[in-house]
Amino acid sequence: MATETTQVNVLTAEDVLKNWQGHRRVTRRTIEAFPEDKLFQFSVGGMRPFSEMAWEFIRMAVPIVDGVTTGKWEEYKGSKPETKSELLRLWDVQTAALDEKFWKIPPHRFSEVDKAFGQWEMPGQATIQYAIDNEIHHRGQGYVYLRALGIAPPHFWERD
Amino acid sequence: MATETTQVNVLTAEDVLKNWQGHRRVTRRTIEAFPEDKLFQFSVGGMRPFSEMAWEFIRMAVPIVDGVTTGKWEEYKGSKPETKSELLRLWDVQTAALDEKFWKIPPHRFSEVDKAFGQWEMPGQATIQYAIDNEIHHRGQGYVYLRALGIAPPHFWERD
């Protein structure tokens, strides 16, 4: 094992935010691809409809960035969107909030271990990565819902 | 925008490999969760069976690490597994190969822009991240297949 490779720095905070926001654009297009009623009601195999997954992403993103920044882990307080346009509007508000708040994370907090929401103990960066990975995972499930509805999902590789 | 936060290094190569191998353990458990015939035949919405997705992950992982290491982008040459046990065996061989080969990536290649497989132009680290994200995305789809079959998928958050 070459020590110089194990410890080489491969991602800056800017790279992480850029990757996240790229994925969030794909997720927004996934929300948009659902017909209104299917977004809130359709699922496969007894799983949650995609609106519930998107709502989970919203309740994780900004609260996690706030928690990594401050060490205070507070649940998202807004109310749950009941229409597709409300959901997309809230999505855009969170996107802008992330762009603003991400830069307030003190550099040392990315590597500092904390217990996110009193439960998940890991470095700040790992908690952020968990939120991104969770979004990719569930959005992939939304793609199956769209295919089952005969709707082509957005291109996974288009992040702009 | 605080410059000190944008450029702070948040992930080392070791973190990236650790995250990837954690995800690969979840993917292996996902393959294992499928009954043999469903792994190769079942899907939802006209999509590929999960064995085809796992085969895609195999054709991406080591060839991408080799390409980032050497700048030579060569297709995976092995033959396609036709049983679950063959697929799992090949998975384990690739897992060990990744653990060995990842450390041979020259440090500067993580940030150097290259055209992966003559097609995808981005820094080495972004190509590696794309492979990880693609695996999370399609594995999430495998979870829907499992749920549709009445089978509980592995816990997403258990990476050991």
Side-chain angles (χ1 to χ4, degrees):
Chain A
M1 188 188 290
T3 307
E4 62 273 25
T5 291
T6 60
Q7 295 311 318
V8 67
N9 291 304
V10 296
L11 276 189
T12 63
E14 189 170 18
D15 296 326
V16 171
L17 180 62
K18 199 176 152 191
N19 187 43
W20 196 358
Q21 292 287 32
H23 276 298
R24 286 178 56 83
R25 283 188 280 275
V26 180
T27 305
R28 192 187 195 283
R29 288 197 283 271
T30 307
I31 297 168
E32 279 185 302
F34 276 88
E36 175 101 27
D37 61 331
K38 305 300 183 195
L39 180 61
F40 289 88
Q41 291 160 29
F42 183 81
S43 84
V44 174
M47 297 176 72
R48 298 174 290 174
F50 193 64
S51 58
E52 289 291 332
M53 298 178 177
W55 174 231
E56 179 179 283
F57 308 152
I58 288 168
R59 284 175 299 144
M60 286 174 75
V62 173
I64 281 176
V65 169
D66 283 343
V68 172
T69 303
T70 63
K72 288 180 198 146
W73 297 92
E74 295 181 2
E75 303 279 328
Y76 180 80
K77 288 191 187 68
S79 60
K80 190 164 150 182
E82 291 181 0
T83 65
K84 180 168 154 177
S85 64
E86 276 177 29
L87 179 58
L88 288 169
R89 199 157 43 233
L90 181 56
W91 191 263
D92 294 339
V93 170
Q94 304 306 305
T95 298
L98 278 182
D99 271 340
E100 192 194 317
K101 289 175 171 239
F102 199 84
W103 310 116
K104 297 181 182 155
I105 300 176
H108 75 279
R109 289 284 293 166
F110 286 99
S111 55
E112 193 168 272
V113 173
D114 195 356
K115 200 176 266 191
F117 304 107
Q119 192 173 2
W120 309 97
E121 194 160 15
M122 53 187 125
Q125 167 50 25
T127 304
I128 290 168
Q129 192 62 51
Y130 188 89
I132 301 171
D133 291 353
N134 184 67
E135 178 171 337
I136 299 169
H137 171 73
H138 289 302
R139 187 185 58 216
Q141 301 177 333
Y143 274 45
V144 184
Y145 296 2
L146 287 171
R147 288 285 181 199
L149 290 165
I151 297 167
H155 292 149
F156 177 71
W157 58 88
E158 279 180 12
R159 307 287 168 82
D160 290 331
Chain B
M1 190 187 293
T3 308
E4 63 272 25
T5 292
T6 60
Q7 295 310 318
V8 66
N9 291 305
V10 296
L11 276 188
T12 63
E14 189 170 19
D15 296 326
V16 171
L17 180 62
K18 199 176 153 193
N19 186 44
W20 196 357
Q21 293 287 30
H23 275 298
R24 286 178 56 84
R25 283 188 281 275
V26 180
T27 304
R28 193 187 195 284
R29 287 197 283 270
T30 307
I31 297 168
E32 279 186 301
F34 276 88
E36 176 101 25
D37 60 332
K38 305 301 182 194
L39 180 61
F40 288 88
Q41 291 161 28
F42 183 81
S43 83
V44 175
M47 297 175 74
R48 296 175 290 173
F50 193 63
S51 58
E52 289 291 332
M53 297 177 178
W55 174 231
E56 179 179 284
F57 307 153
I58 288 168
R59 284 175 298 143
M60 286 173 76
V62 173
I64 281 176
V65 169
D66 284 342
V68 172
T69 303
T70 64
K72 287 180 198 147
W73 297 92
E74 294 181 1
E75 303 280 327
Y76 180 80
K77 289 191 186 68
S79 61
K80 189 164 152 183
E82 291 181 1
T83 65
K84 182 168 152 177
S85 65
E86 276 176 29
L87 180 57
L88 288 169
R89 198 156 44 233
L90 181 57
W91 191 263
D92 293 340
V93 170
Q94 304 306 305
T95 298
L98 278 182
D99 271 339
E100 190 193 318
K101 288 174 171 241
F102 200 85
W103 310 117
K104 296 181 181 153
I105 299 175
H108 75 278
R109 289 284 293 166
F110 286 100
S111 56
E112 193 168 272
V113 173
D114 195 356
K115 200 175 267 190
F117 304 106
Q119 192 173 3
W120 309 96
E121 194 160 14
M122 53 187 124
Q125 167 50 27
T127 303
I128 291 167
Q129 191 61 52
Y130 188 89
I132 301 172
D133 292 353
N134 184 66
E135 178 172 338
I136 299 169
H137 171 72
H138 289 302
R139 186 185 58 216
Q141 300 176 337
Y143 274 45
V144 183
Y145 296 1
L146 287 171
R147 287 285 181 199
L149 291 165
I151 298 167
H155 292 150
F156 177 70
W157 58 89
E158 279 179 11
R159 307 288 168 80
D160 291 331

